[in-house]
């Protein structure tokens, strides 16, 4: 009789054609953030047809929770998460299942994440009687934008009763079969800012009667860089980028009343995440005050750093090293956190968790372009790795020997 490991591996292999079919449909019918209704309907119909009964709920209009209660008794609840939203890009790939929705494309691989988690659902439903505890499958909307889908799901109670959560993301720069992760801070906090400088407009010939917000805004932009270079320790520095500076109506001889500065702070430390926004306001207010102007500030929703719990990382590492064909040689411990954002962090603010990457790179088929580009493509043979990780995490945590 085959061992549990052999059974699970065989089932993961057998579900791959179905995973690819699911993925092709989702890829061909992408939905933007907060508009995932058609994707939700498709995924939910597939979940309702699974070989075991799932408790399915919709914490928001465009998200799904599906709970699989094990047949081996009470135990922890482990959550596995996938995101479902696409991006506002025109697809330029040559795949036969390319986007049918003009200007919308799965250019980050969320179609892959969703299909791979669906594959894990099917395998684990067939192994229900061996599970001691509950698996919560989290199909999340709106990872790409604010307001964050993860935050909305947490606010709706999606993490209630959950003991740990794990997530995966495809990586177009990582070879098929390889995986990577790290403990601790894994991604940057994203803190966007919108500053309005309030001066006093007038005729450019009478500049002495004005409080020129353009001059003031320019001074603020230059001095914001001293926060990075002089006010926070070099080992803790965030990145502060001004990306928009707008003032005036286009007239050559009119000094406007206001100027607008927009940008983003990316932080990889508690100090940067906590102190940089405060220092930004202090700097802008102080400079505006020198000129007799004032500032107002708008802070859109923050995306916090992912912070992987040590014990969750060790579980993820163990599964990748001991239960994947590539073994230890195929697992990379990421040295430096990424400045990219990932709202999986919202779950980790509530329960311990870990997030890992799996390879989908294949130069021979053009699966080598970065995410968020119109040529983004993945090697579907990498899906087996993702499904196996999901399944073997549950084996490790909820299938007693």
């Amino acid at each position: 009789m085959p061992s549990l490991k052999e059974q699970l591996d065989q089932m993961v292999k057998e579900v791959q054609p179905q995973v690819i079919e699911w993925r092709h449909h989702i890829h061909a019918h992408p939905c933007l953030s907060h508009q995932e209704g058609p994707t939700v309907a498709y995924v939910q119909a597939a979940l309702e047809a699974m070989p075991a009964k799932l408790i399915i709920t919709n914490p928001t209009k465009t998200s799904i929770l599906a709970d699989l209660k094990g047949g081996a008794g009470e135990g922890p609840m482990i959550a596995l998460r996938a995101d479902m939203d696409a991006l506002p890009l025109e697809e330029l790939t040559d795949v036969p299942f390319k986007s049918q929705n003009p200007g919308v494309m799965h250019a980050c691989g969320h179609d892959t994440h969703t299909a791979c988690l669906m594959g894990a659902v099917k395998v684990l439903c067939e192994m229900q009687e061996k599970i001691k505890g509950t698996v919560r499958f989290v199909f999340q909307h709106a990872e790409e934008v604010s307001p964050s889908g993860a935050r909305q799901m947490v606010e709706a109670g999606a993490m209630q009763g959950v003991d740990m959560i794990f997530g995966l993301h495809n990586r177009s720069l990582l070879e098929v079969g390889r995986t990577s992760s790290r403990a601790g801070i894994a991604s940057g906090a994203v803190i966007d800012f919108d500053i309005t400088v309030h001066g006093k407009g007038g005729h450019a010939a009478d500049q002495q009667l004005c409080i020129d917000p353009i001059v003031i805004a320019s001074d603020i932009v230059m001095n914001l860089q001293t926060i990075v270079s002089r006010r926070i320790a070099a080992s803790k520095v965030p990145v502060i980028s001004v990306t928009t500076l707008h003032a005036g109506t286009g007239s050559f001889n009119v000094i406007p009343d206001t100027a607008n500065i927009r940008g983003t702070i990316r932080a990889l430390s508690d100090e940067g995440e906590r102190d940089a926004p405060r220092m930004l306001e202090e700097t802008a207010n102080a400079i505006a005050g020198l000129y007799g102007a004032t500032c107002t500030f708008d802070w859109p929703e923050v995306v916090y750093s992912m912070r992987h719990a040590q014990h969750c990382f060790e579980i993820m590492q163990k599964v990748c090293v001991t239960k994947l064909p590539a073994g230890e040689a195929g697992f990379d411990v990421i040295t430096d956190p990424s400045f990219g954002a990932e709202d999986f962090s919202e779950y980790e603010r509530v329960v311990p968790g870990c997030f890992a990457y799996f390879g989908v790179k294949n130069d021979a088929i053009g699966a080598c372009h970065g995410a968020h580009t119109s040529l983004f493509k993945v090697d579907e043979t990498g899906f087996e790795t993702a499904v196996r990780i999901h399944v073997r995490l549950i084996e490790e945590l909820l299938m007693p020997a």
Side-chain angles (χ1 to χ4, degrees):
M1 181 176 179
S3 66
L4 178 59
K5 173 187 180 302
E6 291 169 335
Q7 291 180 61
L8 292 174
D9 285 349
Q10 182 60 33
M11 293 165 71
V12 167
K13 286 182 180 296
E14 290 174 353
V15 81
Q16 291 309 302
Q18 181 69 76
V19 170
I20 291 170
E21 180 181 328
W22 284 325
R23 186 257 171 163
H24 286 184
H25 177 92
I26 296 168
H27 187 93
H29 303 88
C31 300
L32 292 174
S33 306
H34 297 291
Q35 300 175 35
E36 300 93 342
T39 302
V40 167
Y42 179 77
V43 172
Q44 190 154 324
L47 294 175
E48 289 169 349
M50 289 292 175
K53 181 174 176 55
L54 297 161
I55 301 171
I56 299 173
T57 57
N58 302 99
T60 71
K61 290 182 179 179
T62 53
S63 65
I64 308 169
L65 292 183
D67 288 356
L68 175 64
K69 290 190 173 294
E74 296 298 318
M77 179 183 286
I78 306 301
L80 302 174
R81 174 267 203 168
D83 39 16
M84 299 186 291
D85 53 329
L87 288 160
L89 282 172
E90 190 70 36
E91 182 164 8
L92 299 179
T93 73
D94 58 358
V95 297
F97 50 90
K98 70 186 299 182
S99 173
Q100 297 179 20
N101 297 340
V104 185
M105 175 191 175
H106 271 294
C108 196
H110 296 187
D111 54 333
T112 292
H113 307 159
T114 299
C116 289
L117 186 57
M118 292 167 72
V121 174
K122 186 171 183 181
V123 171
L124 292 169
C125 279
E126 292 173 355
M127 301 298 289
Q128 181 181 22
E129 293 306 310
K130 293 187 179 295
I131 295 172
K132 186 175 183 179
T134 302
V135 187
R136 172 162 289 177
F137 303 101
V138 180
F139 293 91
Q140 180 202 312
H141 64 303
E143 188 276 331
E144 296 287 1
V145 301
S146 173
S148 154
R151 181 172 298 184
Q152 291 181 335
M153 293 190 75
V154 169
E155 290 172 350
M159 291 296 101
Q160 290 179 4
V162 173
D163 293 277
M164 285 182 273
I165 184 167
F166 296 90
L168 297 176
H169 200 296
N170 69 107
R171 194 166 183 83
S172 58
L173 303 179
L174 197 63
E175 300 291 343
V176 168
R178 300 192 66 83
T179 52
S180 63
S181 186
R182 63 175 276 122
I185 293 179
S187 69
V190 179
I191 310 168
D192 295 335
F193 58 85
D194 188 334
I195 309 170
T196 301
V197 180
H198 300 272
K200 180 182 177 183
H203 198 292
D206 295 321
Q207 78 281 355
Q208 75 280 4
L209 302 177
C210 304
I211 300 174
D212 191 337
I214 297 176
V215 172
I216 300 165
S218 300
D219 205 354
I220 290 171
V221 170
M222 296 305 296
N223 277 277
L224 288 182
Q225 299 309 312
T226 64
I227 295 172
V228 175
S229 65
R230 292 294 182 269
R231 300 190 63 189
I232 296 178
S235 61
K236 308 293 184 183
V237 294
V239 170
I240 299 178
S241 297
V242 172
T243 55
T244 300
L245 178 57
H246 178 79
T249 61
S251 297
F252 288 100
N253 60 355
V254 177
I255 294 174
D257 288 312
T258 63
N260 179 255
I261 305 166
R262 289 184 176 183
T264 188
I265 300 170
R266 302 289 173 118
L268 293 173
S269 68
D270 290 331
E271 292 86 347
E273 194 171 300
R274 179 188 66 238
D275 296 338
R278 172 181 57 80
M279 291 178 179
L280 182 145
E281 287 200 8
E282 291 172 353
T283 300
N285 281 329
I287 292 170
L290 290 173
Y291 293 90
T294 60
C295 290
T296 54
F297 303 86
D298 181 40
W299 296 94
E301 183 179 87
V302 175
V303 179
Y304 293 98
S305 295
M306 282 195 295
R307 296 166 185 254
H308 302 334
Q310 180 67 36
H311 68 287
C312 293
F313 166 75
E314 290 173 359
I315 293 166
M316 179 68 79
Q317 182 181 36
K318 178 181 178 182
V319 166
C320 291
V321 167
T322 65
K323 300 179 187 293
L324 296 181
E328 187 172 1
F331 181 77
D332 300 323
V333 177
I334 299 171
T335 305
D336 298 314
S338 164
F339 266 123
E342 170 55 68
D343 75 352
F344 187 82
S345 60
E346 290 293 334
Y347 302 118
E348 294 182 314
R349 288 166 63 81
V350 181
V351 299
C354 186
F355 195 77
Y357 300 93
F358 64 96
V360 290
K361 180 181 179 181
N362 184 341
D363 292 338
I365 65 169
C368 54
H369 299 281
H372 292 222
T373 66
S374 293
L375 291 172
F376 179 77
K377 188 186 290 187
V378 302
D379 184 342
E380 293 176 333
T381 62
F383 296 1
E384 187 174 327
T385 298
V387 178
R388 183 175 278 116
I389 291 172
H390 283 312
V391 169
R392 302 304 288 274
L393 281 167
I394 299 307
E395 178 205 14
E396 178 71 21
L397 295 167
L398 299 182
M399 294 186 187

